[in-house]
């Protein structure tokens, strides 16, 4: 019997994180005895006077939101990172190490309307979101080593508020995910002499097995090493781009376009507002970053959606994943094919 990736289990290497994922496609053939439900999604009102993210509303801390008409950004009222805090003393035992952690946390609303999401926002509205991200990255990047933009969408991802928003956490230290990517992209550059994600984009375009959608500047694909069933990445097609702040005007517009296209496919998969955590990774920032060589970096976006079989059945990262190794049943190629074959028009706009 010869090996076939859609029938035979194997492990796949994630060169960005430097770890393996177990792929067990034969399990897709097992009968499913659990429930498969459709979500009864309620249409949300455009404005909710009790929602602390809406325009004109008084937040629990007493601050009144402006009557904003596009994006709105404010300091998180419950920040995980503060700027002015005492530093821990030097560790005197390798088993009990700690280090200083300073930073700031912001919340950013994408729109004044509570009932919109990225797939149903216009390109112009998304462009404004990207412009605000760039402004924040420029500002916070002067001071902090890492600026993490992330969107938690949907209750399944623990999102506390349905109003379209993201968070921005800037830190004085390189978080684990960023540090692993930095290390692995640097090692690749040293060994191969080229940029990991630029090489990867070229290969993916040639193979054309895992691409979901693309445009002039970007590829949205299920990475070869995906862990979550419908995990995707958005990567530049051919240009070497260190950070979101380096995008041209055209690239910002095409980024808005590809984000809208990808999230439309996501919503169409189970005809629900598809939950996910997503965010952007680019070269580290902070004082002195201009003098450092970050050529091994390439700007990209990552989407981690939890859903597996329906609008309500999600994949749980438990048991073997927590104790041994991440594992998936559906192959990355099957997930890409499934997403690719979905309509480009949002299911709510069908008629
Ligand atoms: P999610 O993105 O996970 O839903 O979190 C929303 C954030 O908004 C959360 O970090 C902040 C919470 O602290 N928030 C405020 O800063 N002020 C509020 O009045 C409501 C929520």
């Amino acid at each position: 019997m010869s090996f076939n990736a859609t029938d035979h289990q194997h492990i796949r290497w994630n060169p960005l994180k430097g770890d393996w994922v177990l792929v067990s496609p034969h399990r897709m053939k097992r009968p499913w005895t659990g429930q498969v439900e459709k979500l009864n999604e309620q249409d949300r009102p455009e404005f909710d006077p009790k929602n602390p993210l809406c325009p004109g509303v008084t937040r629990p801390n007493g601050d009144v939101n402006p009557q904003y008409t596009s994006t709105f950004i404010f300091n998180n009222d419950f920040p995980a990172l503060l700027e002015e805090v005492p530093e821990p003393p030097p560790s005197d035992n390798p088993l009990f190490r700690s280090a200083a952690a300073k930073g700031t946390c912001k919340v950013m609303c994408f729109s004044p309307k509570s009932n919109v999401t990225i797939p149903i926002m216009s390109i112009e509205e998304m462009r404004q979101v990207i412009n605000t991200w760039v402004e924040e990255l420029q500002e916070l990047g002067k001071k902090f080593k890492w600026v993490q933009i992330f969107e938690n969408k949907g209750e399944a991802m623990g999102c506390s508020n349905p109003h379209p928003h993201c968070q921005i956490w800037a830190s004085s230290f390189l978080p684990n995910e960023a540090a692993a990517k930095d290390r692995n992209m640097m090692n690749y550059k040293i060994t191969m002499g080229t940029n990991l994600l630029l090489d990867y984009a070229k290969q993916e375009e040639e193979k054309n097995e895992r691409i979901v959608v693309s445009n002039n500047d970007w590829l949205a694909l299920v990475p070869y090493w995906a862990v979550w069933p419908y995990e995707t990445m958005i990567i530049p097609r051919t240009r070497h781009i260190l950070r979101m702040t380096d995008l041209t005007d055209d690239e910002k517009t095409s980024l808005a376009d590809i984000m809208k296209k990808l999230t439309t496919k996501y919503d169409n998969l189970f005809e629900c507002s598809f939950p996910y955590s997503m965010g952007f990774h680019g070269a580290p920032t902070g004082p002195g970053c201009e003098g450092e060589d970050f050529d091994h970096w390439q700007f990209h976006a990552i989407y981690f959606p939890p859903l597996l079989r329906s609008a309500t059945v999600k994949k749980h990262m438990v048991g073997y994943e927590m104790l041994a190794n991440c594992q998936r049943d559906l192959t990355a190629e099957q997930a890409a094919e499934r997403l690719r074959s979905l309509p480009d028009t949002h299911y709510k706009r069908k008629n």
Side-chain angles (χ1 to χ4, degrees), residues 325-339:
N325 205 120
C326 286
Q327 184 271 338
R328 63 181 289 130
D329 297 349
L330 184 76
T331 65
E333 297 72 43
Q334 288 166 330
E337 167 60 29
R338 189 106 200 259
L339 290 171

Side-chain angles (χ1 to χ4, degrees), residues 16 181-189 296-298:
L16 279 175
K181 285 190 178 177
D182 186 53
R183 202 169 46 241
N184 289 311
M185 288 193 278
M186 169 125 57
N187 286 343
Y188 185 92
K189 179 85 198 289
H296 51 288
W297 267 91
Q298 174 76 325

Side-chain angles (χ1 to χ4, degrees), residues 51-53 58-61 74-79 106-107 150-153 157-162 165-167 169:
N51 189 328
L53 300 191
T58 306
R59 301 208 299 277
N61 73 344
F74 63 95
N75 289 329
N76 197 312
D77 301 319
F78 313 97
K106 294 187 169 192
V107 180
F150 64 96
E151 180 192 4
N152 282 332
K153 178 167 171 266
M157 291 312 288
C159 177
S160 61
N161 193 309
H165 71 284
C166 72
Q167 298 194 46
W169 292 20

Side-chain angles (χ1 to χ4, degrees), residues 38-243:
K38 267 222 157 186
L39 256 194
N40 198 5
E41 282 187 333
Q42 308 258 312
D43 277 338
R44 276 193 294 275
E46 190 176 301
F47 174 75
D48 174 359
K50 293 200 190 76
N51 189 328
L53 300 191
C54 282
V57 169
T58 306
R59 301 208 299 277
N61 73 344
D63 286 0
V64 182
N65 295 337
Q67 288 293 348
Y68 65 95
T69 54
S70 157
T71 57
F72 166 52
I73 191 141
F74 63 95
N75 289 329
N76 197 312
D77 301 319
F78 313 97
L81 288 158
L82 295 164
E83 275 192 68
E84 301 301 330
V85 281
E87 295 184 12
S91 311
D92 55 6
N93 183 321
L95 296 177
F96 299 92
R97 277 175 71 187
S98 56
K102 299 192 177 184
T104 190
C105 298
K106 294 187 169 192
V107 180
M108 175 182 151
C109 300
F110 296 155
S111 158
K113 296 180 189 167
S114 282
N115 58 352
V116 301
T117 54
I118 288 175
I120 51 178
M121 281 167 70
S122 69
I123 295 286
E124 294 68 38
E125 288 167 330
M126 267 314 290
R127 256 311 295 263
Q128 189 46 48
V129 169
I130 293 171
N131 288 347
T132 312
W133 283 336
V134 168
E135 281 164 25
E136 287 300 318
L137 286 164
Q138 268 158 349
E139 215 34 54
L140 295 168
K142 285 183 199 153
K143 217 167 170 183
F144 296 104
K145 206 167 205 161
W146 190 256
V147 184
Q148 185 60 59
I149 296 173
F150 64 96
E151 180 192 4
N152 282 332
K153 178 167 171 266
E155 280 173 33
M157 291 312 288
C159 177
S160 61
N161 193 309
H163 191 92
H165 71 284
C166 72
Q167 298 194 46
I168 306 178
W169 292 20
S171 61
S172 59
F173 60 93
L174 215 52
N176 291 335
E177 296 290 316
K181 285 190 178 177
D182 186 53
R183 202 169 46 241
N184 289 311
M185 288 193 278
M186 169 125 57
N187 286 343
Y188 185 92
K189 179 85 198 289
I190 292 167
T191 329
M192 310 294 284
T194 46
N195 183 286
L196 194 159
L197 278 180
L198 273 174
D199 284 0
Y200 182 63
K202 193 159 175 265
Q203 285 289 315
E204 285 291 13
E205 218 162 352
E206 269 170 39
K207 294 190 193 314
N208 200 16
E209 286 176 310
R210 283 169 292 273
I211 297 172
V212 177
V213 275
S214 60
N215 62 20
N216 267 348
D217 302 311
W218 307 95
L219 300 176
L221 49 83
V222 179
Y224 178 75
W225 51 81
V227 164
W228 292 92
Y230 293 97
E231 178 178 331
T232 55
M233 283 174 85
I234 296 178
I235 54 177
R237 229 172 149 156
T238 52
R239 200 168 85 84
H240 188 194
I241 303 167
L242 292 190
R243 305 178 178 93

Side-chain angles (χ1 to χ4, degrees), residues 9-12 20-24 27 227 315-329:
Q9 76 217 23
H10 54 283
I11 51 176
R12 292 189 185 191
W20 296 92
V21 52
L22 170 62
V23 186
S24 318
R27 292 181 89 224
V227 164
K315 177 178 172 65
H316 295 278
M317 288 284 189
V318 291
Y320 194 77
E321 276 88 3
M322 292 179 97
L323 289 150
N325 205 120
C326 286
Q327 184 271 338
R328 63 181 289 130
D329 297 349

Side-chain angles (χ1 to χ4, degrees), residues 243-296:
R243 305 178 178 93
M244 195 192 284
T245 45
D246 300 324
L247 297 181
T248 63
D249 283 347
D250 282 353
E251 285 165 344
K252 287 179 199 163
T253 305
S254 59
L255 179 61
D257 171 71
I258 199 109
M259 288 179 73
K260 196 171 149 60
K261 283 185 171 143
L262 177 63
T263 52
T264 297
K265 296 268 194 192
Y266 270 164
D267 279 12
N268 285 346
L269 183 60
F270 301 128
E271 299 211 339
C272 68
S273 188
F274 204 68
Y276 57 72
S277 276
M278 71 80 61
F280 299 96
H281 283 173
T285 48
C289 74
E290 306 83 21
E292 281 190 60
D293 179 7
F294 287 119
D295 241 27
H296 51 288

